[in-house]
């Protein structure tokens, strides 16, 4: 009897609702995370080990260091999640693991570990798209939220406007043409002499600045397309700082940070709200690491209220990379009959698509 046949009883129990406990594993970048959910939306535990203090020394994520850290920590993180939930591996009904997109070495650690656990426990496994997981983070915050709706996904590596047709069906209707929003934050922060990751550092500094002091913009963003561009905004910041340095001028860095943050928030807000109106969607959701930015959350809330759109954004603990969102998305994939085999392989750069 092969593994797929051995896990058939567990899959039937999961599908019937007899055992809906699902273990999520996330290792796409610099967070090693595990979580246990019941019924797809009830979080029983979350465990996260962050590598930020290590990567901060280098000004960004070093893939080799990230992979090694995942290898060292993943066992303890999964054990912590199971222990906090008060369950053992034998109590788990299924496993969901991030398989794309992300750093290939980091993904390999999570996928390999998840396959080993699934094989040992004879339980079903499903590979989850990281971006779909970020979207699913909204389900953990809003028990009544259901597709269809429009979602803005803004993170360090991705900036998308997505039509969420169903739990497992997505259509890309807008995307960045160059830098992701979070990537632009990191690069602008580095130019300002701030630490990695740049988003929280710029937000902190911007609180003391004037968001109207400088006008940073990219002409492309003034068009009617749902796509956006952040490279020009970032470059404008870099050029401003370099020119001031060459002239011996001293700029108020808080003003620069506040003006940059406003430019990014305004662009994301304008494009996503307009897309929601075009799609005639009654809901606009926000997801991804940049969703933790308070200025962006406030701007989107204001514009959605003005246009009669319900605005949903994840609770802060679900904004950054976590395994609860992966378990949630995995739950709905399994419920639709999608199961991965032991031949599941990670992909470093697979875009969001149906069923993933």
């Amino acid at each position: 009897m092969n593994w797929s046949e051995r896990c058939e009883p567990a899959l039937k129990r999961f599908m019937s609702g007899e055992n809906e406990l699902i273990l999520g594993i996330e290792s796409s970048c610099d967070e090693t995370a595990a979580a246990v959910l019941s019924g797809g939306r009830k979080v029983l535990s979350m465990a996260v080990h962050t590598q930020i203090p290590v990567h901060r020394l280098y000004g960004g994520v070093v893939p080799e260091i990230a992979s090694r850290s995942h290898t060292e920590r993943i066992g303890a993180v999964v054990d912590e999640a199971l222990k906090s939930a008060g369950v053992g591996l034998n109590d788990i009904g299924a496993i969901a693991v991030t398989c794309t997109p992300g750093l290939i070495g980091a993904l390999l650690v999570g996928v390999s570990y998840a396959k080993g656990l699934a094989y040992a426990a004879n339980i079903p496994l499903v590979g989850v798209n990281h971006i779909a997981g970020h979207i699913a983070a909204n389900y953990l915050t809003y028990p009544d939220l259901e597709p269809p709706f429009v979602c803005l996904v803004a993170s360090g590596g991705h900036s998308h406007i997505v039509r969420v047709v169903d739990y497992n069906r997505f259509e890309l209707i807008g995307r960045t043409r160059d830098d992701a929003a979070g990537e632009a934050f990191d690069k602008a922060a580095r130019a300002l002499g701030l630490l990695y990751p740049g988003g929280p550092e710029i937000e902190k500094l911007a609180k003391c600045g004037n968001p109207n002091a400088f006008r940073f913009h990219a002409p492309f963003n003034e068009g009617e397309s749902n796509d956006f561009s952040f490279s020009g905004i970032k470059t404008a910041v870099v050029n401003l700082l370099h020119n001031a340095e060459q002239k011996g001028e001293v700029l108020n860095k808080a003003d620069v940070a506040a003006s940059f943050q406003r430019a990014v928030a305004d662009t994301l807000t304008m494009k996503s709200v307009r897309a929601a109106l075009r799609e005639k969607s009654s809901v606009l959701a926000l997801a991804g690491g940049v969703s933790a930015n308070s200025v962006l959350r406030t701007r989107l809330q204001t514009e959605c209220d003005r246009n009669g759109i319900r605005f949903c954004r994840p609770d802060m603990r679900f904004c950054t990379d976590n395994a609860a969102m992966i378990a949630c998305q995995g739950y709905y994939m399994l419920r639709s009959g999608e199961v991965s085999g032991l031949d599941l392989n990670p992909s470093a750069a697979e875009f969001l698509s149906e069923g993933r």
Side-chain angles (χ1 to χ4, degrees), residues 130-138 153 155 286-289 314 318-321 325:
H130 183 78
I131 302 172
H134 273 302
I135 295 172
N138 283 281
V153 182
S155 66
L286 175 64
F318 302 130
C319 288
T320 52
D321 292 352
M325 67 184 194

Side-chain angles (χ1 to χ4, degrees), residues 236-311:
V237 172
V238 173
N239 288 341
L240 175 70
L241 294 170
H242 285 175
N243 288 338
E245 182 180 4
Q246 290 172 352
K247 295 176 181 179
E249 298 175 352
V250 179
L251 296 177
N252 185 321
K253 290 188 175 182
D255 287 348
V256 177
S259 298
F260 169 78
Q261 180 176 243
R262 177 187 175 182
V264 174
D266 283 352
T267 299
L268 291 171
T269 298
M270 175 188 67
K271 295 282 187 176
S272 57
V273 172
R274 188 168 64 191
L277 291 171
R278 286 173 173 170
E279 294 293 319
K280 296 181 172 56
S281 175
S282 60
V283 176
L284 174 62
L286 175 64
V290 181
S291 67
N293 183 275
S294 61
V295 172
L296 176 60
R297 292 164 82 98
T298 299
R299 289 284 289 113
L300 282 168
Q301 184 70 69
T302 299
E303 289 304 309
C304 282
D305 289 345
R306 182 177 297 163
N307 288 279
I309 300 172
R310 180 188 179 189
F311 176 53

Side-chain angles (χ1 to χ4, degrees), residues 8-193:
E8 191 66 29
L11 180 59
K12 289 181 178 178
R13 289 195 297 272
F14 185 88
M15 296 293 286
S16 68
E18 182 182 343
N19 182 4
E20 291 188 313
L21 290 182
I22 182 167
L23 170 66
I25 296 175
E26 153 64 25
S27 68
S28 63
C29 190
D30 58 353
E31 311 281 358
T32 310
V36 177
L37 266 62
S38 175
R41 299 201 185 196
K42 183 178 180 181
V43 180
L44 301 184
S45 69
M46 288 178 62
V48 180
H49 173 262
T50 182
Q51 303 173 17
I52 287 177
V54 175
H55 296 292
R56 181 170 283 163
L57 299 173
Y58 305 96
V61 178
V62 181
E64 176 63 21
I65 293 176
S67 301
R68 287 178 179 272
S69 179
H70 287 306
T71 302
E72 294 168 356
R73 299 286 183 170
I74 193 167
V77 170
V78 169
D79 287 346
E80 180 184 344
L82 293 172
K83 183 178 179 180
S84 297
V87 300
L89 181 60
N90 291 334
D91 300 309
I92 297 297
I95 296 176
V97 61
T98 304
C99 65
T100 187
L103 301 174
I104 190 62
L107 290 168
L108 274 167
V109 175
V111 169
S112 298
Y113 196 84
K115 288 196 290 188
L117 289 180
Y119 183 83
N122 291 323
I123 53 179
L125 170 74
V126 64
V128 176
N129 184 293
H130 183 78
I131 302 172
H134 273 302
I135 295 172
N138 283 281
Y139 303 137
L140 301 175
T141 304
Y142 301 93
D144 64 324
L145 179 61
E146 296 180 351
F149 57 86
V150 170
C151 185
L152 167 64
V153 182
S155 66
H158 310 280
S159 289
H160 300 326
I161 301 176
V162 179
R163 182 191 297 118
V164 183
V165 182
D166 205 344
Y167 288 109
N168 307 308
R169 184 181 173 195
F170 313 93
E171 296 174 359
L172 190 63
I173 59 175
R175 59 178 297 182
T176 180
R177 292 292 187 89
D178 38 59
D179 291 351
E183 181 183 0
F185 267 104
D186 287 340
K187 291 178 178 178
R190 184 178 301 174
L192 286 164

